Amino acid sequence: NMGGNAGIRGYLIQTIICVLDALDSDNQWSKVTLEPLDESEKVDIKWVYPDRVKVCQVKSSQNIIRLTDAKKWSHELITNSPNIEEYELIVVGHPEEKLLKSDTINNVTISKVQSLDIGNLIDIASTKIDAYYEKTGRQIWLEVDGGVNAQNIAEIAQAGADTFVAG
């Protein structure tokens, strides 16, 4: 398991990718959950659509990301989350040439994000949030489910959450 700064960076990248995907004009999702408690630990993002469910795993590294690793992660995602209609593996960083040429592995869509620059990803996400709101008028609600208590709810609200699940 990642810890410290690497863990925080990985979680932040997952969050930014989730926001960017959620604002994609083709997405008709009804609910998006980051680190869903009702799925395996392999699932980082769960998308619920009217007609299907999609689960995603995000892998980021400053090192080269190998095709053999992507094959292993894809297999684990399917094995640990059966009965899901759609799977996606998102690799962030430096995928090797063989991985760059792969669009799917065992029915898992492979998405490649080249940048590990958090500041750049945040700028892109912020711009997409503004454009999404202007285009649709639909507000984005941020729900925090788990770990909410009397000691930290004010801090969580200050960070931007507006819906909380406690207990």
Side-chain angles (χ1 to χ4, degrees):
N1 283 347
M2 285 191 305
N5 288 338
I8 292 168
R9 186 189 83 233
Y11 194 74
L12 184 57
I13 288 170
Q14 290 174 20
T15 304
I16 292 169
I17 287 171
C18 188
V19 168
L20 294 175
D21 282 351
L23 300 177
D24 185 328
S25 61
D26 293 336
N27 279 329
Q28 299 298 315
W29 50 270
S30 57
K31 183 177 180 181
V32 180
T33 307
L34 200 63
E35 297 293 338
L37 299 175
D38 61 341
E39 289 294 336
S40 85
E41 76 279 356
K42 303 297 180 190
V43 175
D44 295 318
I45 307 168
K46 180 179 181 179
W47 301 87
V48 177
Y49 297 87
D51 60 340
R52 71 190 192 286
V53 173
K54 176 172 86 170
V55 294
C56 302
Q57 184 175 31
V58 180
K59 291 291 191 177
S60 64
S61 179
Q62 294 176 336
N63 301 318
I64 300 293
I65 301 172
R66 308 252 177 242
L67 177 62
T68 54
D69 291 327
K71 286 180 178 180
K72 181 184 91 167
W73 298 327
S74 296
H75 175 75
E76 291 172 349
L77 185 59
I78 291 172
T79 302
N80 287 289
S81 294
N83 306 316
I84 298 291
E85 292 81 10
E86 191 175 341
Y87 300 91
E88 182 178 14
L89 175 65
I90 302 168
V91 293
V92 182
H94 310 287
E96 72 177 353
E97 193 66 31
K98 287 187 278 186
L99 181 53
L100 281 173
K101 294 178 181 177
S102 300
D103 293 328
T104 61
I105 299 173
N106 299 329
N107 295 323
V108 176
T109 300
I110 307 300
S111 299
K112 292 148 297 252
V113 179
Q114 298 297 315
S115 178
L116 272 173
D117 180 348
I118 299 293
N120 184 48
L121 288 169
I122 290 172
D123 287 345
I124 293 168
S126 178
T127 300
K128 286 192 176 227
I129 289 169
D130 291 344
Y132 177 83
Y133 182 72
E134 285 180 27
K135 179 180 172 183
T136 66
R138 183 177 171 194
Q139 291 186 313
I140 296 174
W141 293 84
L142 178 59
E143 176 181 304
V144 177
D145 184 351
V148 178
N149 58 48
Q151 289 73 40
N152 65 13
I153 194 166
E155 182 180 357
I156 295 169
Q158 189 175 21
D162 39 40
T163 308
F164 310 91
V165 179

